Amino acid sequence: MLTEKKYYSQALEFWGGIECTINRIQDSYFDQMEMAGHYSRKGDIGRIAGLGIKTLRYPILWERHEPDAQETIDWTHTANRLNEMKQHRITPIAGLLHHGSGPEFTDLADNHFPEKFAAYAGKVARQFPWLEYFTPINEPLTTARFSGLYGLWYPHAMNDVSFAKMILNQVQAIILAMSEIRKINPAAKLIQTEDLSKTFSSPLIKYQATFENERRWLTYDLLLGKVKAGHPMWSYFLRLGIPEKRLHFFIDNATTPEVAGFNYYVTSERFLDEDKSKYPASSHGGNELQEYADVEAIRVNHGNAYGLKVLLKEAWERFRLPMAITESHLNAGREDQVRWLNEICKSCSSAIEEGINVRAVTFWSLFGAFGWSKLLTDEKMVYEPGTFDLRTQPARPTAISLFIKNIILKNNSLHPLAEQHGWWHDPARFHGARSNKETDEYKPPGKPLLIIGNYKNLGQNLANACKGRNIPFTFLKNSSVLGDERSLNKFLETRQPWAVMDFSGFETLLKAEVCGHEFSMEEINLSILLSATCKEKGIAYTLLSSSIVFDPRQKKNFRESDPISPTTVCGRTVAIAEEKIIGQNPSALIIRTGHLFDAFTRNDFCSSLISRLSANEYFECDNDSFASPCYLPSFVHCALELLVDEECGIWHLANDEVLSPFHFARKIALKAGFDLNRIRKTKNSENRYSIIRGGLGSMRGKLMPSLDESLDHFFSECRLGNDSTLFTVRQ
């Protein structure tokens, strides 16, 4: 599945990082490492070492170790992890405060914050005198903006004076902390980090963009003693009432970082526009003079030079310091996560070739992140997988892990999807634009995914998902053209797929199971032949299978390791096919799912239920068998994730409940506000709606959203018609 080629500069190092923010909202602390299970899970350092990473940004955070200034610090956990790093020959970069305001006995606006923080840094240095590299405070400017200017994080201030005090307190704390650390270890080095940002704007807001583009360098300008009379931020601080004596501290105590670390995200570049009507309401804001929208610059066709390489060049020309990308995460489909990292590494390599001193790229965040889609302000803290997916036990390596291993250990191979453009290059990304990907065969450059099966329902959802994720694909609706080995080999040689996703027997299987039609091995012989041929040619193979290999009379979440217990001819036939495929092709991926539902399929269980209840009719369904409902759009995306991650063996993908058709109908009706008394029980033999029976759970991991979340998504795709009693599906 990998293509070989030399991609990156040999001078480029590859570091790792763990998302470790401890931020405070009002009186509640949210610890990313606790949510990720890192404090209790064993083997994380070994997993990181297995990637080939030799330098790791690792937290020794103030709030975690010293919540109370009067208590003795327990260093046990950190000492154990640092010793593990020594054993694996990993060099830590110790982070002491990460988007935090400190323990309860202080905060960013505290006049004594710098001295309190420096005292903690000294304790870390005395406990671990061998530590050489430190990032005392991560992204001081970003933290000051979110805590002092926007009011999102503690102490929730929203004015320039608070912002100024918080940025000055943090940078002073860094300088004092390095002084304390160097009393213990004179060779200690500062690896500072800050967001690598830039602001663009419409002409009327240019003054604001100009100010923000000066402000973006403030962390480094203060550290290097550059904020003097004549510097744009000097007059800004004086206007806010900051005494000159306070500013002279930075001039007199200039502290040069060993490496200027920059964190670069797809949201780091911004665009300001006074015409708010073109953008979502969530982007509307302004300053004391004017209202405007603040959006990701990547979503506006602004015509300016942008991107990582442009910003690296600007930073190099300003500071002439060795640089590293110290964070580089993207919340997206797995292939886009890989594409993002690929572009980051290529941009840095290209900068090196032009004489810019870029030392490293940091793969962040290795164990994913929680809540960043809502800027850590929502208590739900939705999880974003990273290099490892924590929704499985043990933590599962993803395609990012394979990407990192190959560039560190081999530096000559990439996943076949890594070379396609990510969504940030798609013209449809612009506000107000629409996608123009309407063909059944989508062919951007690169080898395609071959999808085999009927285009209706499941097939259409798969095709739409591939189009949306910029995955090249070929859809083969008539699988009879592959009826023998010769024609199959010829077809595969012509199309050159990197992977095959096969559900050629799936819809025939559903019809046979639900309607009682015959279903024999002849229906799935093609799948068995396909699997064997893919193994010979090194093509990834995925079979979509079903819960019918289990007994639908049992209300049980059958797991992948449970013995199969088919009660029908269809179930027994599928079980035999699965066994043959795994036996001849151990790298094959078999995904079992339950009853698939979405908002666009007509005449299935859900649409029939809604149609009858909307017309005040009764709906009858059985209560003597059990099923695992599975929201189809979520299913196809999870299936693609497993395929891209090069998973193999049997996986169960379903929502988190096993329930009878009767209780499933009641759950839908309750959310839609229908009369539950119009749902009646009947025997399974008397009424067979299109619902596949059999319960599914998983021992490998919970990748699908809950059934309640899935029904919320389902109803978001539907709408009430003009007649409030009529529920219609959005076209």
Side-chain angles (χ1 to χ4, degrees):
M1 290 178 62
L2 295 170
T3 57
E4 292 195 359
K5 185 179 178 181
K6 293 291 183 183
Y7 285 98
Y8 313 120
S9 169
Q10 295 297 317
L12 192 61
E13 299 175 20
F14 299 103
W15 301 349
I18 304 171
E19 170 55 41
C20 56
T21 299
I22 298 180
N23 73 302
R24 182 177 176 183
I25 305 294
Q26 301 300 338
D27 293 326
S28 298
Y29 284 86
F30 297 91
D31 186 338
Q32 292 275 330
M33 300 274 277
E34 184 175 3
M35 289 185 280
H38 177 71
Y39 298 131
S40 58
R41 186 175 51 250
K42 296 180 180 179
D44 280 357
I45 302 303
R47 292 182 180 93
I48 294 168
L51 301 173
I53 288 172
K54 292 301 181 185
T55 302
L56 178 67
R57 290 187 64 193
Y58 193 77
I60 310 177
L61 298 185
W62 192 13
E63 298 95 336
R64 171 77 181 179
H65 289 86
E66 196 177 35
D68 188 320
Q70 307 305 316
E71 291 184 4
T72 301
I73 296 176
D74 182 359
W75 301 102
T76 305
H77 177 271
T78 298
N80 289 338
R81 293 303 169 97
L82 291 176
N83 285 333
E84 285 184 70
M85 289 182 223
K86 280 185 175 181
Q87 293 168 12
H88 288 288
R89 298 182 180 178
I90 294 175
T91 299
I93 301 173
L96 309 185
L97 189 68
H98 199 101
H99 289 316
S101 193
E104 289 187 358
F105 59 82
T106 189
D107 63 62
L108 296 178
D110 179 1
N111 290 334
H112 301 290
F113 175 88
E115 291 79 12
K116 292 177 181 179
F117 177 78
Y120 171 71
K123 294 175 184 178
V124 174
R126 285 189 290 276
Q127 183 67 32
F128 306 107
W130 56 272
L131 286 174
E132 185 177 0
Y133 298 99
F134 289 84
T135 300
I137 299 179
N138 174 71
E139 289 193 19
L141 177 65
T142 300
T143 305
R145 286 165 48 220
F146 281 51
S147 300
L149 203 54
Y150 309 149
L152 297 177
W153 302 340
Y154 193 84
H156 304 290
M158 299 178 66
N159 58 79
D160 282 83
V161 174
S162 294
F163 161 78
K165 189 169 187 177
M166 291 180 193
I167 181 66
L168 294 175
N169 272 354
Q170 288 179 93
V171 178
Q172 183 177 358
I174 293 169
I175 294 170
L176 294 179
M178 290 308 300
S179 176
E180 289 298 309
I181 291 167
R182 285 169 176 159
K183 290 177 183 177
I184 309 301
N185 181 1
K189 299 175 179 62
L190 171 62
I191 312 291
Q192 187 53 51
T193 61
E194 191 54 84
D195 183 34
L196 185 59
S197 63
K198 190 171 184 177
T199 303
F200 306 95
S201 73
S202 58
L204 288 180
I205 313 294
K206 188 176 180 181
Y207 68 93
Q208 181 67 28
T210 299
F211 169 74
E212 293 187 14
N213 285 330
E214 286 293 342
R215 188 184 65 187
R216 63 179 167 148
W217 306 119
L218 194 47
T219 292
Y220 290 105
D221 281 356
L222 286 168
L223 277 175
L224 296 170
K226 290 178 173 288
V227 181
K228 304 175 180 178
H231 188 287
M233 302 307 295
W234 178 270
S235 56
Y236 168 77
F237 285 128
L238 293 184
R239 285 199 309 273
L240 297 175
I242 303 297
E244 285 193 23
K245 181 180 178 181
R246 179 81 194 277
L247 298 179
H248 274 287
F249 169 86
F250 302 98
I251 300 172
D252 298 337
N253 295 276
T255 302
T256 302
E258 176 77 9
V259 174
F262 289 107
N263 303 340
Y264 183 70
Y265 291 88
V266 75
T267 56
S268 292
E269 293 166 278
R270 314 298 300 177
F271 187 84
L272 311 180
D273 192 340
E274 77 281 355
D275 188 354
K276 300 184 299 179
S277 64
K278 296 188 290 187
Y279 311 101
S282 59
S283 69
H284 297 177
N287 54 33
E288 65 275 11
L289 300 176
Q290 197 170 7
E291 293 184 349
Y292 51 82
D294 180 341
V295 297
E296 302 96 330
I298 199 68
R299 295 195 179 277
V300 180
N301 192 8
H302 52 76
N304 298 288
Y306 67 95
L308 176 57
K309 188 177 174 182
V310 171
L311 271 60
L312 282 173
K313 187 175 182 180
E314 291 177 357
W316 173 247
E317 290 175 348
R318 188 178 184 97
F319 301 117
R320 295 286 168 172
L321 289 173
M323 296 183 293
I325 297 301
T326 39
E327 292 181 22
S328 52
H329 177 69
L330 179 71
N331 180 23
R334 193 82 71 246
E335 66 289 333
D336 268 350
Q337 289 184 311
V338 173
R339 290 164 181 162
W340 179 254
L341 292 176
N342 184 31
E343 286 194 22
I344 295 287
C345 294
K346 283 188 173 182
S347 295
C348 289
S349 293
S350 178
I352 290 171
E353 291 174 2
E354 294 185 13
I356 298 173
N357 189 352
V358 180
R359 182 175 295 182
V361 168
T362 306
F363 296 120
W364 183 282
S365 55
L366 294 177
F367 295 106
F370 294 83
W372 273 103
S373 60
K374 300 291 184 182
L375 298 175
L376 308 182
T377 59
D378 189 330
E379 290 189 3
K380 289 183 178 179
M381 291 289 176
V382 175
Y383 176 63
E384 307 166 15
T387 307
F388 295 94
D389 189 339
L390 300 182
R391 296 173 298 177
T392 64
Q393 293 296 332
R396 182 177 69 88
T398 68
I400 302 173
S401 174
L402 301 173
F403 172 83
I404 294 172
K405 280 185 178 180
N406 278 285
I407 67 171
I408 291 180
L409 303 180
K410 298 180 182 178
N411 202 26
N412 64 349
S413 55
L414 286 178
H415 193 285
L417 295 180
E419 292 295 341
Q420 278 82 35
H421 283 159
W423 68 258
W424 54 96
H425 293 293
D426 188 339
R429 74 186 187 274
F430 297 131
H431 285 287
R434 292 188 176 183
S435 176
N436 189 30
K437 301 175 181 176
E438 301 297 335
T439 62
D440 294 347
E441 188 166 65
Y442 179 52
K443 293 183 175 180
K447 291 184 175 183
L449 165 64
L450 174 59
I451 303 174
I452 302 177
N454 194 308
Y455 190 65
K456 294 180 180 179
N457 302 340
L458 174 56
Q460 188 170 6
N461 272 272
L462 273 169
N464 289 340
C466 288
K467 293 170 189 175
R469 295 169 66 155
N470 207 30
I471 298 176
F473 71 91
T474 295
F475 205 113
L476 181 62
K477 303 174 186 177
N478 182 14
S479 58
S480 63
V481 301
L482 308 179
D484 58 71
E485 190 171 351
R486 182 179 178 183
S487 60
L488 175 58
N489 277 304
K490 183 177 179 181
F491 185 86
L492 293 178
E493 288 170 5
T494 301
R495 300 303 177 99
Q496 291 288 304
W498 65 273
V500 172
M501 186 167 277
D502 175 19
F503 64 100
S504 56
F506 192 83
E507 292 195 351
T508 306
L509 164 70
L510 300 189
K511 189 174 182 181
E513 177 72 6
V514 172
C515 302
H517 294 173
E518 293 184 3
F519 186 84
S520 66
M521 285 297 296
E522 294 298 322
E523 302 286 352
I524 50 178
N525 276 340
L526 172 62
S527 296
I528 297 171
L529 178 60
L530 258 173
S531 172
T533 307
C534 285
K535 179 187 177 184
E536 293 174 6
K537 296 182 177 297
I539 300 170
Y541 175 80
T542 299
L543 174 74
L544 301 187
S545 187
S546 169
S547 59
I548 64 170
V549 298
F550 297 109
D551 185 350
R553 297 167 298 184
Q554 297 186 44
K555 188 179 182 180
K556 181 178 178 180
N557 296 77
F558 288 99
R559 303 187 304 172
E560 293 90 348
S561 60
D562 287 333
I564 57 174
S565 51
T567 60
T568 64
V569 173
C570 289
R572 288 190 287 272
T573 304
V574 172
I576 293 171
E578 288 184 356
E579 183 180 11
K580 285 182 176 289
I581 288 171
I582 290 293
Q584 70 187 7
N585 185 359
S587 62
L589 171 63
I590 294 179
I591 302 175
R592 292 175 183 154
T593 189
H595 171 67
L596 296 171
F597 70 96
D598 70 350
F600 301 97
T601 302
R602 299 292 186 176
N603 302 317
D604 72 341
F605 183 88
C606 294
S607 63
S608 298
L609 167 68
I610 290 171
S611 177
R612 291 198 176 195
L613 296 184
S614 296
N616 288 321
E617 298 176 0
Y618 288 99
F619 185 83
E620 297 182 338
C621 50
D622 74 272
N623 194 39
D624 56 4
S625 66
F626 297 93
S628 290
C630 185
Y631 186 53
L632 181 51
S634 297
F635 168 76
V636 297
H637 283 291
C638 285
L640 286 170
E641 297 286 285
L642 292 176
L643 175 61
V644 173
D645 286 343
E646 301 186 27
E647 283 293 340
C648 62
I650 296 174
W651 272 83
H652 288 179
L653 288 183
N655 299 120
D656 61 344
E657 292 188 41
V658 175
L659 66 177
S660 69
F662 174 74
H663 284 98
F664 183 38
R666 285 176 62 87
K667 200 172 189 72
I668 295 170
L670 185 63
K671 277 194 174 282
F674 290 120
D675 183 0
L676 299 183
N677 293 321
R678 293 196 169 272
I679 302 173
R680 293 177 169 176
K681 297 178 185 177
T682 186
K683 291 186 179 297
N684 188 25
S685 58
E686 295 176 0
N687 195 306
R688 296 179 64 85
Y689 280 100
S690 300
I691 185 166
I692 285 291
R693 271 73 169 177
L696 292 179
S698 180
M699 67 175 185
R700 303 191 71 173
K702 182 184 174 183
L703 306 185
M704 295 283 291
S706 70
L707 182 56
D708 282 331
E709 289 174 301
S710 296
L711 288 175
D712 289 339
H713 291 311
F714 170 81
F715 284 115
S716 73
E717 293 293 336
C718 304
R719 62 176 173 83
L720 284 171
N722 293 329
D723 180 352
S724 62
T725 64
L726 180 63
F727 196 95
T728 58
V729 174
R730 181 185 299 155
Q731 300 299 312

